[in-house]
Amino acid sequence: MQYISQGTTPKEHLINIGEVCEAGCRWVQLRLKNVDLARYLQTAIKCREICDQYGAIMIVNDNISVAKASQADGVHLGLQDMSPKEARKILGDNFIIGGTANTIEDCMSHIQDDIDYIGLGPFKYTTTKEKLSPILGVEGYEEVILRLKSKNIEVPIVAIGGIALDNISDIMETGVVGIAVSGMLTNQEDLEEKIQTIKKLITKG
């Protein structure tokens, strides 16, 4: 389970990351939009401190230089960002590199670039993404994973985009390895209980 950070300010992102980590999440993606490089780096360094405190993996969205300078564990690249192959040259073999995909063609392109995991989505409509790709649903995941298997390709697929608690079991049955969530864990009550429930649903799948 990956938590993709949310908030109206960098400070809110950090507060939400801290709360989610304290409640048991151990994989965080810092996703800041429309902030300057200095603010992004400053926030990433603080995020690194929070993740270190809880033993959480830290991924930076989009920005290679911020990921490297903040000593993040990895970077997540959108379809319009730098290619994973170029990112690997800059970051080296020890960084986790994830990439967004919407189609089997996106997946194949990422696989050729030796990516570590693919964030496949969106599952359904989500307000956290400005330019939304076509919605996949359960059938979309099944089709992509089936086609990858037919080519004898194994790559970790993480479902992303508008996932609700009652969708998790069905999504996990498609063969994905996990889910990425944002709104489901932001400003929520009983966060620890919710994270435990999500983890159980992922494990059952």
Side-chain angles (χ1 to χ4, degrees):
M1 175 184 58
Q2 183 183 99
Y3 171 64
I4 301 173
S5 71
Q6 251 188 336
T8 54
T9 64
K11 187 179 179 181
E12 269 188 31
H13 277 259
L14 291 170
I15 289 168
N16 291 332
I17 287 165
E19 287 178 353
V20 166
C21 284
E22 189 177 359
C25 182
R26 294 296 175 260
W27 190 15
V28 168
Q29 182 188 144
L30 176 64
R31 185 176 184 268
L32 290 180
K33 295 292 177 184
N34 307 315
V35 296
D36 61 53
L37 192 62
R39 179 66 66 86
Y40 205 154
L41 178 57
Q42 195 178 32
T43 309
I45 289 166
K46 289 176 180 172
C47 179
R48 176 76 273 177
E49 290 170 4
I50 295 167
C51 288
D52 282 347
Q53 186 182 344
Y54 293 99
I57 293 167
M58 175 189 162
I59 305 287
V60 169
N61 182 265
D62 293 351
N63 202 302
I64 306 291
S65 57
V66 168
K68 191 167 187 178
S70 64
Q71 297 185 313
D73 297 295
V75 68
H76 186 93
L77 301 169
L79 290 167
Q80 309 305 319
D81 297 326
M82 180 188 287
S83 81
K85 196 173 274 184
E86 287 300 309
R88 181 69 70 198
K89 286 178 189 172
I90 296 165
L91 297 173
D93 292 336
N94 293 328
F95 267 75
I96 299 165
I97 297 181
T100 300
N102 177 246
T103 64
I104 184 69
E105 290 77 18
D106 295 337
C107 292
M108 294 307 296
S109 174
H110 283 326
I111 289 157
Q112 285 165 5
D113 284 344
D114 201 24
I115 208 154
D116 293 305
Y117 75 91
I118 291 171
L120 184 64
F123 169 66
K124 63 179 181 182
Y125 178 76
T126 171
T127 55
T128 60
K129 195 90 170 161
E130 284 177 18
K131 294 174 184 174
L132 203 64
S133 298
I135 288 162
L136 291 171
V138 168
E139 297 81 8
Y141 288 110
E142 285 173 341
E143 186 185 338
V144 170
I145 288 166
L146 206 63
R147 288 180 68 182
L148 289 174
K149 280 183 178 173
S150 73
K151 298 173 189 289
N152 291 318
I153 293 169
E154 283 190 26
V155 62
I157 303 277
V158 177
I160 186 169
I163 298 168
L165 208 58
D166 56 4
N167 305 136
I168 296 172
S169 293
D170 289 341
I171 292 170
M172 293 306 301
E173 283 176 12
T174 66
V176 301
V177 300
I179 60 169
V181 296
S182 189
M184 197 195 293
L185 296 182
T186 303
N187 300 324
Q188 299 292 327
E189 292 179 5
D190 303 319
L191 199 50
E192 195 170 334
E193 191 181 319
K194 196 160 199 174
I195 286 172
Q196 289 306 317
T197 302
I198 294 166
K199 284 182 177 179
K200 281 174 187 170
L201 289 168
I202 290 171
T203 308
K204 276 181 188 173

PDB file of all heavy atoms in Angstrom, residues 151-188:
ATOM      1  N   LYS A 151       2.856 -12.856 -22.535  1.00  0.00           N
ATOM      2  CA  LYS A 151       4.205 -12.568 -23.041  1.00  0.00           C
ATOM      3  C   LYS A 151       5.283 -13.031 -22.056  1.00  0.00           C
ATOM      4  O   LYS A 151       6.457 -12.727 -22.216  1.00  0.00           O
ATOM      5  CB  LYS A 151       4.359 -11.060 -23.275  1.00  0.00           C
ATOM      6  CG  LYS A 151       3.425 -10.470 -24.315  1.00  0.00           C
ATOM      7  CD  LYS A 151       3.537  -8.952 -24.351  1.00  0.00           C
ATOM      8  CE  LYS A 151       2.470  -8.289 -25.209  1.00  0.00           C
ATOM      9  NZ  LYS A 151       2.672  -8.510 -26.641  1.00  0.00           N
ATOM     10  N   ASN A 152       4.854 -13.757 -20.995  1.00  0.00           N
ATOM     11  CA  ASN A 152       5.756 -14.222 -19.931  1.00  0.00           C
ATOM     12  C   ASN A 152       6.512 -13.075 -19.254  1.00  0.00           C
ATOM     13  O   ASN A 152       7.692 -13.184 -18.941  1.00  0.00           O
ATOM     14  CB  ASN A 152       6.766 -15.253 -20.473  1.00  0.00           C
ATOM     15  CG  ASN A 152       6.086 -16.550 -20.843  1.00  0.00           C
ATOM     16  OD1 ASN A 152       5.216 -17.037 -20.109  1.00  0.00           O
ATOM     17  ND2 ASN A 152       6.445 -17.117 -21.981  1.00  0.00           N
ATOM     18  N   ILE A 153       5.797 -11.977 -19.068  1.00  0.00           N
ATOM     19  CA  ILE A 153       6.400 -10.799 -18.431  1.00  0.00           C
ATOM     20  C   ILE A 153       5.857 -10.666 -17.011  1.00  0.00           C
ATOM     21  O   ILE A 153       4.647 -10.691 -16.800  1.00  0.00           O
ATOM     22  CB  ILE A 153       6.091  -9.517 -19.225  1.00  0.00           C
ATOM     23  CG1 ILE A 153       6.799  -9.551 -20.584  1.00  0.00           C
ATOM     24  CG2 ILE A 153       6.511  -8.273 -18.446  1.00  0.00           C
ATOM     25  CD1 ILE A 153       6.349  -8.475 -21.534  1.00  0.00           C
ATOM     26  N   GLU A 154       6.771 -10.544 -16.065  1.00  0.00           N
ATOM     27  CA  GLU A 154       6.373 -10.327 -14.671  1.00  0.00           C
ATOM     28  C   GLU A 154       6.933  -8.993 -14.204  1.00  0.00           C
ATOM     29  O   GLU A 154       8.136  -8.787 -14.193  1.00  0.00           O
ATOM     30  CB  GLU A 154       6.902 -11.463 -13.784  1.00  0.00           C
ATOM     31  CG  GLU A 154       6.090 -12.740 -13.913  1.00  0.00           C
ATOM     32  CD  GLU A 154       6.473 -13.777 -12.863  1.00  0.00           C
ATOM     33  OE1 GLU A 154       6.965 -13.370 -11.795  1.00  0.00           O
ATOM     34  OE2 GLU A 154       6.288 -14.964 -13.130  1.00  0.00           O
ATOM     35  N   VAL A 155       6.055  -8.096 -13.847  1.00  0.00           N
ATOM     36  CA  VAL A 155       6.455  -6.798 -13.310  1.00  0.00           C
ATOM     37  C   VAL A 155       5.420  -6.411 -12.251  1.00  0.00           C
ATOM     38  O   VAL A 155       4.235  -6.645 -12.432  1.00  0.00           O
ATOM     39  CB  VAL A 155       6.550  -5.728 -14.434  1.00  0.00           C
ATOM     40  CG1 VAL A 155       5.200  -5.516 -15.112  1.00  0.00           C
ATOM     41  CG2 VAL A 155       7.109  -4.420 -13.908  1.00  0.00           C
ATOM     42  N   PRO A 156       5.858  -5.868 -11.114  1.00  0.00           N
ATOM     43  CA  PRO A 156       4.884  -5.480 -10.084  1.00  0.00           C
ATOM     44  C   PRO A 156       3.953  -4.373 -10.589  1.00  0.00           C
ATOM     45  O   PRO A 156       4.413  -3.320 -11.030  1.00  0.00           O
ATOM     46  CB  PRO A 156       5.765  -4.983  -8.933  1.00  0.00           C
ATOM     47  CG  PRO A 156       7.109  -5.590  -9.172  1.00  0.00           C
ATOM     48  CD  PRO A 156       7.252  -5.682 -10.656  1.00  0.00           C
ATOM     49  N   ILE A 157       2.654  -4.648 -10.539  1.00  0.00           N
ATOM     50  CA  ILE A 157       1.642  -3.671 -10.949  1.00  0.00           C
ATOM     51  C   ILE A 157       0.903  -3.177  -9.709  1.00  0.00           C
ATOM     52  O   ILE A 157       0.386  -3.974  -8.933  1.00  0.00           O
ATOM     53  CB  ILE A 157       0.617  -4.296 -11.927  1.00  0.00           C
ATOM     54  CG1 ILE A 157       1.307  -4.867 -13.165  1.00  0.00           C
ATOM     55  CG2 ILE A 157      -0.471  -3.285 -12.293  1.00  0.00           C
ATOM     56  CD1 ILE A 157       1.624  -3.909 -14.257  1.00  0.00           C
ATOM     57  N   VAL A 158       0.861  -1.866  -9.534  1.00  0.00           N
ATOM     58  CA  VAL A 158       0.146  -1.248  -8.414  1.00  0.00           C
ATOM     59  C   VAL A 158      -1.063  -0.507  -8.980  1.00  0.00           C
ATOM     60  O   VAL A 158      -0.927   0.326  -9.877  1.00  0.00           O
ATOM     61  CB  VAL A 158       1.075  -0.265  -7.657  1.00  0.00           C
ATOM     62  CG1 VAL A 158       0.315   0.437  -6.538  1.00  0.00           C
ATOM     63  CG2 VAL A 158       2.291  -0.997  -7.086  1.00  0.00           C
ATOM     64  N   ALA A 159      -2.243  -0.831  -8.469  1.00  0.00           N
ATOM     65  CA  ALA A 159      -3.471  -0.168  -8.926  1.00  0.00           C
ATOM     66  C   ALA A 159      -3.572   1.216  -8.297  1.00  0.00           C
ATOM     67  O   ALA A 159      -3.218   1.407  -7.132  1.00  0.00           O
ATOM     68  CB  ALA A 159      -4.686  -1.010  -8.551  1.00  0.00           C
ATOM     69  N   ILE A 160      -4.066   2.164  -9.089  1.00  0.00           N
ATOM     70  CA  ILE A 160      -4.093   3.548  -8.615  1.00  0.00           C
ATOM     71  C   ILE A 160      -5.299   4.289  -9.185  1.00  0.00           C
ATOM     72  O   ILE A 160      -5.749   3.988 -10.291  1.00  0.00           O
ATOM     73  CB  ILE A 160      -2.769   4.245  -9.016  1.00  0.00           C
ATOM     74  CG1 ILE A 160      -2.667   5.650  -8.440  1.00  0.00           C
ATOM     75  CG2 ILE A 160      -2.595   4.284 -10.521  1.00  0.00           C
ATOM     76  CD1 ILE A 160      -1.299   6.264  -8.594  1.00  0.00           C
ATOM     77  N   GLY A 161      -5.832   5.234  -8.421  1.00  0.00           N
ATOM     78  CA  GLY A 161      -6.839   6.133  -8.956  1.00  0.00           C
ATOM     79  C   GLY A 161      -8.261   5.873  -8.519  1.00  0.00           C
ATOM     80  O   GLY A 161      -8.938   5.016  -9.068  1.00  0.00           O
ATOM     81  N   GLY A 162      -8.725   6.606  -7.511  1.00  0.00           N
ATOM     82  CA  GLY A 162     -10.124   6.543  -7.101  1.00  0.00           C
ATOM     83  C   GLY A 162     -10.547   5.246  -6.438  1.00  0.00           C
ATOM     84  O   GLY A 162     -11.718   4.870  -6.507  1.00  0.00           O
ATOM     85  N   ILE A 163      -9.617   4.577  -5.787  1.00  0.00           N
ATOM     86  CA  ILE A 163      -9.924   3.284  -5.163  1.00  0.00           C
ATOM     87  C   ILE A 163     -10.611   3.490  -3.808  1.00  0.00           C
ATOM     88  O   ILE A 163     -10.153   4.279  -2.985  1.00  0.00           O
ATOM     89  CB  ILE A 163      -8.641   2.436  -4.982  1.00  0.00           C
ATOM     90  CG1 ILE A 163      -8.023   2.125  -6.361  1.00  0.00           C
ATOM     91  CG2 ILE A 163      -8.925   1.146  -4.219  1.00  0.00           C
ATOM     92  CD1 ILE A 163      -6.620   1.551  -6.288  1.00  0.00           C
ATOM     93  N   ALA A 164     -11.714   2.783  -3.585  1.00  0.00           N
ATOM     94  CA  ALA A 164     -12.430   2.809  -2.305  1.00  0.00           C
ATOM     95  C   ALA A 164     -12.232   1.469  -1.597  1.00  0.00           C
ATOM     96  O   ALA A 164     -11.820   0.482  -2.213  1.00  0.00           O
ATOM     97  CB  ALA A 164     -13.913   3.070  -2.530  1.00  0.00           C
ATOM     98  N   LEU A 165     -12.544   1.466  -0.308  1.00  0.00           N
ATOM     99  CA  LEU A 165     -12.329   0.275   0.516  1.00  0.00           C
ATOM    100  C   LEU A 165     -13.007  -0.969  -0.060  1.00  0.00           C
ATOM    101  O   LEU A 165     -12.418  -2.049  -0.101  1.00  0.00           O
ATOM    102  CB  LEU A 165     -12.846   0.552   1.935  1.00  0.00           C
ATOM    103  CG  LEU A 165     -12.194  -0.198   3.088  1.00  0.00           C
ATOM    104  CD1 LEU A 165     -10.698   0.044   3.153  1.00  0.00           C
ATOM    105  CD2 LEU A 165     -12.845   0.216   4.402  1.00  0.00           C
ATOM    106  N   ASP A 166     -14.233  -0.809  -0.549  1.00  0.00           N
ATOM    107  CA  ASP A 166     -14.963  -1.977  -1.037  1.00  0.00           C
ATOM    108  C   ASP A 166     -14.548  -2.425  -2.447  1.00  0.00           C
ATOM    109  O   ASP A 166     -15.099  -3.370  -2.996  1.00  0.00           O
ATOM    110  CB  ASP A 166     -16.483  -1.752  -0.970  1.00  0.00           C
ATOM    111  CG  ASP A 166     -16.924  -0.506  -1.732  1.00  0.00           C
ATOM    112  OD1 ASP A 166     -16.073   0.131  -2.371  1.00  0.00           O
ATOM    113  OD2 ASP A 166     -18.134  -0.176  -1.680  1.00  0.00           O
ATOM    114  N   ASN A 167     -13.566  -1.715  -3.045  1.00  0.00           N
ATOM    115  CA  ASN A 167     -13.029  -2.140  -4.347  1.00  0.00           C
ATOM    116  C   ASN A 167     -11.798  -3.037  -4.204  1.00  0.00           C
ATOM    117  O   ASN A 167     -11.421  -3.728  -5.162  1.00  0.00           O
ATOM    118  CB  ASN A 167     -12.590  -0.935  -5.199  1.00  0.00           C
ATOM    119  CG  ASN A 167     -13.667   0.099  -5.407  1.00  0.00           C
ATOM    120  OD1 ASN A 167     -13.405   1.293  -5.295  1.00  0.00           O
ATOM    121  ND2 ASN A 167     -14.877  -0.342  -5.706  1.00  0.00           N
ATOM    122  N   ILE A 168     -11.152  -2.989  -3.043  1.00  0.00           N
ATOM    123  CA  ILE A 168      -9.807  -3.565  -2.913  1.00  0.00           C
ATOM    124  C   ILE A 168      -9.768  -5.060  -3.219  1.00  0.00           C
ATOM    125  O   ILE A 168      -8.905  -5.524  -3.974  1.00  0.00           O
ATOM    126  CB  ILE A 168      -9.206  -3.264  -1.513  1.00  0.00           C
ATOM    127  CG1 ILE A 168      -9.027  -1.746  -1.345  1.00  0.00           C
ATOM    128  CG2 ILE A 168      -7.851  -3.968  -1.335  1.00  0.00           C
ATOM    129  CD1 ILE A 168      -8.619  -1.304   0.051  1.00  0.00           C
ATOM    130  N   SER A 169     -10.681  -5.833  -2.667  1.00  0.00           N
ATOM    131  CA  SER A 169     -10.674  -7.289  -2.879  1.00  0.00           C
ATOM    132  C   SER A 169     -10.761  -7.638  -4.357  1.00  0.00           C
ATOM    133  O   SER A 169      -9.995  -8.470  -4.865  1.00  0.00           O
ATOM    134  CB  SER A 169     -11.828  -7.952  -2.128  1.00  0.00           C
ATOM    135  OG  SER A 169     -11.629  -7.831  -0.733  1.00  0.00           O
ATOM    136  N   ASP A 170     -11.691  -6.987  -5.076  1.00  0.00           N
ATOM    137  CA  ASP A 170     -11.862  -7.255  -6.512  1.00  0.00           C
ATOM    138  C   ASP A 170     -10.606  -6.868  -7.295  1.00  0.00           C
ATOM    139  O   ASP A 170     -10.193  -7.581  -8.217  1.00  0.00           O
ATOM    140  CB  ASP A 170     -13.061  -6.477  -7.070  1.00  0.00           C
ATOM    141  CG  ASP A 170     -14.397  -7.038  -6.572  1.00  0.00           C
ATOM    142  OD1 ASP A 170     -14.410  -8.199  -6.124  1.00  0.00           O
ATOM    143  OD2 ASP A 170     -15.399  -6.314  -6.629  1.00  0.00           O
ATOM    144  N   ILE A 171     -10.005  -5.739  -6.924  1.00  0.00           N
ATOM    145  CA  ILE A 171      -8.795  -5.287  -7.626  1.00  0.00           C
ATOM    146  C   ILE A 171      -7.645  -6.262  -7.398  1.00  0.00           C
ATOM    147  O   ILE A 171      -6.928  -6.626  -8.333  1.00  0.00           O
ATOM    148  CB  ILE A 171      -8.392  -3.865  -7.163  1.00  0.00           C
ATOM    149  CG1 ILE A 171      -9.414  -2.837  -7.634  1.00  0.00           C
ATOM    150  CG2 ILE A 171      -7.004  -3.494  -7.698  1.00  0.00           C
ATOM    151  CD1 ILE A 171      -9.231  -1.451  -7.037  1.00  0.00           C
ATOM    152  N   MET A 172      -7.473  -6.707  -6.164  1.00  0.00           N
ATOM    153  CA  MET A 172      -6.363  -7.615  -5.840  1.00  0.00           C
ATOM    154  C   MET A 172      -6.490  -8.947  -6.577  1.00  0.00           C
ATOM    155  O   MET A 172      -5.498  -9.577  -6.926  1.00  0.00           O
ATOM    156  CB  MET A 172      -6.274  -7.853  -4.330  1.00  0.00           C
ATOM    157  CG  MET A 172      -5.872  -6.630  -3.509  1.00  0.00           C
ATOM    158  SD  MET A 172      -4.335  -5.814  -4.035  1.00  0.00           S
ATOM    159  CE  MET A 172      -3.143  -7.142  -3.866  1.00  0.00           C
ATOM    160  N   GLU A 173      -7.727  -9.371  -6.831  1.00  0.00           N
ATOM    161  CA  GLU A 173      -7.957 -10.638  -7.546  1.00  0.00           C
ATOM    162  C   GLU A 173      -7.501 -10.586  -9.006  1.00  0.00           C
ATOM    163  O   GLU A 173      -7.358 -11.612  -9.659  1.00  0.00           O
ATOM    164  CB  GLU A 173      -9.435 -11.024  -7.463  1.00  0.00           C
ATOM    165  CG  GLU A 173      -9.805 -11.610  -6.104  1.00  0.00           C
ATOM    166  CD  GLU A 173     -11.287 -11.918  -5.978  1.00  0.00           C
ATOM    167  OE1 GLU A 173     -11.993 -11.895  -7.008  1.00  0.00           O
ATOM    168  OE2 GLU A 173     -11.740 -12.168  -4.839  1.00  0.00           O
ATOM    169  N   THR A 174      -7.253  -9.388  -9.532  1.00  0.00           N
ATOM    170  CA  THR A 174      -6.812  -9.262 -10.926  1.00  0.00           C
ATOM    171  C   THR A 174      -5.338  -9.634 -11.093  1.00  0.00           C
ATOM    172  O   THR A 174      -4.880  -9.847 -12.209  1.00  0.00           O
ATOM    173  CB  THR A 174      -7.004  -7.821 -11.459  1.00  0.00           C
ATOM    174  OG1 THR A 174      -6.134  -6.928 -10.739  1.00  0.00           O
ATOM    175  CG2 THR A 174      -8.446  -7.372 -11.320  1.00  0.00           C
ATOM    176  N   GLY A 175      -4.599  -9.671  -9.970  1.00  0.00           N
ATOM    177  CA  GLY A 175      -3.183 -10.017 -10.054  1.00  0.00           C
ATOM    178  C   GLY A 175      -2.230  -8.870  -9.777  1.00  0.00           C
ATOM    179  O   GLY A 175      -1.011  -9.024  -9.885  1.00  0.00           O
ATOM    180  N   VAL A 176      -2.768  -7.695  -9.402  1.00  0.00           N
ATOM    181  CA  VAL A 176      -1.883  -6.594  -9.013  1.00  0.00           C
ATOM    182  C   VAL A 176      -1.214  -6.933  -7.678  1.00  0.00           C
ATOM    183  O   VAL A 176      -1.708  -7.783  -6.936  1.00  0.00           O
ATOM    184  CB  VAL A 176      -2.650  -5.241  -8.901  1.00  0.00           C
ATOM    185  CG1 VAL A 176      -3.317  -4.878 -10.218  1.00  0.00           C
ATOM    186  CG2 VAL A 176      -3.683  -5.271  -7.777  1.00  0.00           C
ATOM    187  N   VAL A 177      -0.089  -6.275  -7.390  1.00  0.00           N
ATOM    188  CA  VAL A 177       0.627  -6.580  -6.143  1.00  0.00           C
ATOM    189  C   VAL A 177       0.212  -5.661  -4.998  1.00  0.00           C
ATOM    190  O   VAL A 177       0.499  -5.928  -3.833  1.00  0.00           O
ATOM    191  CB  VAL A 177       2.165  -6.495  -6.316  1.00  0.00           C
ATOM    192  CG1 VAL A 177       2.647  -7.477  -7.350  1.00  0.00           C
ATOM    193  CG2 VAL A 177       2.613  -5.075  -6.657  1.00  0.00           C
ATOM    194  N   GLY A 178      -0.450  -4.559  -5.333  1.00  0.00           N
ATOM    195  CA  GLY A 178      -0.828  -3.624  -4.281  1.00  0.00           C
ATOM    196  C   GLY A 178      -1.636  -2.474  -4.838  1.00  0.00           C
ATOM    197  O   GLY A 178      -2.006  -2.469  -6.018  1.00  0.00           O
ATOM    198  N   ILE A 179      -1.917  -1.496  -3.978  1.00  0.00           N
ATOM    199  CA  ILE A 179      -2.693  -0.332  -4.383  1.00  0.00           C
ATOM    200  C   ILE A 179      -2.006   0.943  -3.898  1.00  0.00           C
ATOM    201  O   ILE A 179      -1.272   0.926  -2.913  1.00  0.00           O
ATOM    202  CB  ILE A 179      -4.134  -0.381  -3.832  1.00  0.00           C
ATOM    203  CG1 ILE A 179      -4.123  -0.418  -2.287  1.00  0.00           C
ATOM    204  CG2 ILE A 179      -4.903  -1.560  -4.404  1.00  0.00           C
ATOM    205  CD1 ILE A 179      -5.487  -0.194  -1.652  1.00  0.00           C
ATOM    206  N   ALA A 180      -2.273   2.038  -4.615  1.00  0.00           N
ATOM    207  CA  ALA A 180      -1.839   3.364  -4.165  1.00  0.00           C
ATOM    208  C   ALA A 180      -3.086   4.177  -3.877  1.00  0.00           C
ATOM    209  O   ALA A 180      -4.018   4.191  -4.690  1.00  0.00           O
ATOM    210  CB  ALA A 180      -0.992   4.039  -5.235  1.00  0.00           C
ATOM    211  N   VAL A 181      -3.126   4.811  -2.730  1.00  0.00           N
ATOM    212  CA  VAL A 181      -4.321   5.560  -2.324  1.00  0.00           C
ATOM    213  C   VAL A 181      -3.923   6.939  -1.823  1.00  0.00           C
ATOM    214  O   VAL A 181      -2.798   7.157  -1.383  1.00  0.00           O
ATOM    215  CB  VAL A 181      -5.122   4.817  -1.227  1.00  0.00           C
ATOM    216  CG1 VAL A 181      -5.672   3.505  -1.758  1.00  0.00           C
ATOM    217  CG2 VAL A 181      -4.280   4.576   0.019  1.00  0.00           C
ATOM    218  N   SER A 182      -4.879   7.859  -1.864  1.00  0.00           N
ATOM    219  CA  SER A 182      -4.607   9.217  -1.412  1.00  0.00           C
ATOM    220  C   SER A 182      -5.737   9.708  -0.522  1.00  0.00           C
ATOM    221  O   SER A 182      -5.615   9.764   0.695  1.00  0.00           O
ATOM    222  CB  SER A 182      -4.424  10.143  -2.618  1.00  0.00           C
ATOM    223  OG  SER A 182      -3.951  11.399  -2.204  1.00  0.00           O
ATOM    224  N   GLY A 183      -6.882  10.008  -1.146  1.00  0.00           N
ATOM    225  CA  GLY A 183      -8.028  10.513  -0.384  1.00  0.00           C
ATOM    226  C   GLY A 183      -8.523   9.559   0.674  1.00  0.00           C
ATOM    227  O   GLY A 183      -9.036   9.976   1.718  1.00  0.00           O
ATOM    228  N   MET A 184      -8.351   8.257   0.434  1.00  0.00           N
ATOM    229  CA  MET A 184      -8.827   7.251   1.390  1.00  0.00           C
ATOM    230  C   MET A 184      -8.150   7.371   2.756  1.00  0.00           C
ATOM    231  O   MET A 184      -8.711   6.977   3.772  1.00  0.00           O
ATOM    232  CB  MET A 184      -8.575   5.844   0.824  1.00  0.00           C
ATOM    233  CG  MET A 184      -9.371   4.749   1.525  1.00  0.00           C
ATOM    234  SD  MET A 184      -8.777   3.085   1.173  1.00  0.00           S
ATOM    235  CE  MET A 184      -9.158   2.917  -0.558  1.00  0.00           C
ATOM    236  N   LEU A 185      -6.928   7.944   2.767  1.00  0.00           N
ATOM    237  CA  LEU A 185      -6.186   8.032   4.024  1.00  0.00           C
ATOM    238  C   LEU A 185      -5.945   9.470   4.488  1.00  0.00           C
ATOM    239  O   LEU A 185      -5.314   9.689   5.517  1.00  0.00           O
ATOM    240  CB  LEU A 185      -4.828   7.332   3.886  1.00  0.00           C
ATOM    241  CG  LEU A 185      -4.855   5.825   3.627  1.00  0.00           C
ATOM    242  CD1 LEU A 185      -3.442   5.278   3.564  1.00  0.00           C
ATOM    243  CD2 LEU A 185      -5.660   5.081   4.683  1.00  0.00           C
ATOM    244  N   THR A 186      -6.419  10.448   3.739  1.00  0.00           N
ATOM    245  CA  THR A 186      -6.175  11.850   4.099  1.00  0.00           C
ATOM    246  C   THR A 186      -7.314  12.387   4.948  1.00  0.00           C
ATOM    247  O   THR A 186      -8.484  12.295   4.568  1.00  0.00           O
ATOM    248  CB  THR A 186      -6.014  12.714   2.828  1.00  0.00           C
ATOM    249  OG1 THR A 186      -4.945  12.173   2.031  1.00  0.00           O
ATOM    250  CG2 THR A 186      -5.676  14.154   3.180  1.00  0.00           C
ATOM    251  N   ASN A 187      -6.946  12.948   6.116  1.00  0.00           N
ATOM    252  CA  ASN A 187      -7.932  13.541   7.041  1.00  0.00           C
ATOM    253  C   ASN A 187      -9.047  12.573   7.421  1.00  0.00           C
ATOM    254  O   ASN A 187     -10.227  12.936   7.470  1.00  0.00           O
ATOM    255  CB  ASN A 187      -8.553  14.817   6.434  1.00  0.00           C
ATOM    256  CG  ASN A 187      -7.511  15.872   6.134  1.00  0.00           C
ATOM    257  OD1 ASN A 187      -6.546  16.013   6.872  1.00  0.00           O
ATOM    258  ND2 ASN A 187      -7.684  16.593   5.047  1.00  0.00           N
ATOM    259  N   GLN A 188      -8.675  11.332   7.661  1.00  0.00           N
ATOM    260  CA  GLN A 188      -9.658  10.306   8.010  1.00  0.00           C
ATOM    261  C   GLN A 188      -9.608   9.981   9.503  1.00  0.00           C
ATOM    262  O   GLN A 188      -8.545  10.027  10.113  1.00  0.00           O
ATOM    263  CB  GLN A 188      -9.387   9.014   7.216  1.00  0.00           C
ATOM    264  CG  GLN A 188      -9.468   9.170   5.714  1.00  0.00           C
ATOM    265  CD  GLN A 188     -10.870   9.443   5.212  1.00  0.00           C
ATOM    266  OE1 GLN A 188     -11.856   8.981   5.768  1.00  0.00           O
ATOM    267  NE2 GLN A 188     -10.959  10.226   4.143  1.00  0.00           N
TER     268      GLN A 188
END
